[in-house]
Amino acid sequence: MRIVSSLAIFFIPIMLSTVLFFPSNILSVVKANTSIGRYQNTSNFVSYQDATLGIKFQYPENWKKILHYSANNSRIEFISPLQSQFEIFPPSFVVSVSNTTDNLTLDRLSKIIIEKGRQSMMDFNLLQSNITEVGGIPAQKLIYTFISSDPSLKLHFQTMDILIIKSNRLYTISYTESRAQYANFLSTIDQIVHSFEIAK
């Protein structure tokens, strides 16, 4: 129980704070940092490298980058430009890096996240949970849907979390989008994931 409790304290907020309150939080960020206009092709990718976090990957050059660093958990948010004035929720993804413990496994973490999602998210529905590989390292992919907790939105969202554990660090790549638009940027997110590298 002590292990589960510590995991819940340090890892569940990292994984779920984004999606539980993501829609309302990101809207304010988008309004402040993103221009509205015709969507630009995201085929031009540029390299992002962070020596402190030990990660490197490619991302669309016109996506807004927002950094959040802290002692135990750091994350980088990337937000697509709004495609039109009618768009509510632009495509985005988050890469987070946090410290972990020796006895944490992907299977254990996945089960805790799924259970927490069922308890905390409105209409949580797990669509996929499987082992995959990112940059030659074993990873766990979780895909699930839920309804926004923001009463002003009440939209259905779909999230893909990819979890990687290496050298006592948890690396998470998360993509959240409205369920109706989720597939539209999946190829872009896949390209980001395939380019993801963790320093040796």
Side-chain angles (χ1 to χ4, degrees):
M1 293 298 293
R2 186 175 180 183
I3 294 175
V4 172
S5 176
S6 64
L7 289 177
I9 290 172
F10 291 106
F11 299 112
I12 298 305
I14 295 168
M15 308 305 300
L16 298 182
S17 62
T18 300
V19 292
L20 284 174
F21 305 102
F22 193 62
S24 59
N25 285 348
I26 204 165
L27 281 176
S28 61
V29 172
V30 169
K31 289 176 182 177
N33 297 285
T34 311
S35 60
I36 296 176
R38 180 181 293 252
Y39 176 71
Q40 299 177 8
N41 191 330
T42 59
S43 60
N44 294 324
F45 279 65
V46 294
S47 180
Y48 176 82
Q49 186 167 358
D50 192 312
T52 301
L53 300 179
I55 56 176
K56 180 172 67 172
F57 54 89
Q58 302 285 317
Y59 73 98
E61 65 178 349
N62 62 335
W63 285 33
K64 179 71 177 181
K65 177 178 62 183
I66 306 170
L67 307 177
H68 305 270
Y69 288 107
S70 70
N72 293 319
N73 173 47
S74 297
R75 71 184 191 276
I76 311 112
E77 299 176 23
F78 294 85
I79 305 171
S80 167
L82 292 175
Q83 299 183 48
S84 75
Q85 61 182 345
F86 304 107
E87 185 175 52
I88 298 175
F89 188 77
S92 62
F93 76 98
V94 178
V95 175
S96 65
V97 181
S98 57
N99 298 324
T100 182
T101 58
D102 291 331
N103 53 7
L104 180 66
T105 66
L106 289 174
D107 181 64
R108 180 70 168 155
L109 179 60
S110 299
K111 289 177 180 176
I112 295 173
I113 291 171
I114 292 168
E115 182 59 29
K116 190 67 175 178
R118 288 177 176 147
Q119 295 174 1
S120 306
M121 294 182 177
M122 293 178 58
D123 201 26
F124 176 88
N125 182 29
L126 180 66
L127 302 179
Q128 183 179 333
S129 176
N130 63 278
I131 298 295
T132 184
E133 188 176 280
V134 176
I137 303 172
Q140 181 81 25
K141 179 188 289 186
L142 302 176
I143 300 178
Y144 49 90
T145 60
F146 63 98
I147 297 177
S148 167
S149 60
D150 187 336
S152 67
L153 291 176
K154 291 299 181 186
L155 294 175
H156 280 83
F157 288 91
Q158 185 162 332
T159 291
M160 175 176 65
D161 288 337
I162 298 179
L163 316 171
I164 309 161
I165 296 176
K166 182 181 179 183
S167 302
N168 292 335
R169 274 186 166 183
L170 169 63
Y171 301 83
T172 306
I173 305 169
S174 295
Y175 165 52
T176 297
E177 178 57 284
S178 66
R179 191 168 63 180
Q181 302 295 323
Y182 178 84
N184 292 350
F185 281 81
L186 197 53
S187 61
T188 298
I189 301 303
D190 284 343
Q191 188 168 341
I192 294 168
V193 172
H194 290 152
S195 70
F196 193 86
E197 297 180 27
I198 299 174
K200 303 297 183 182

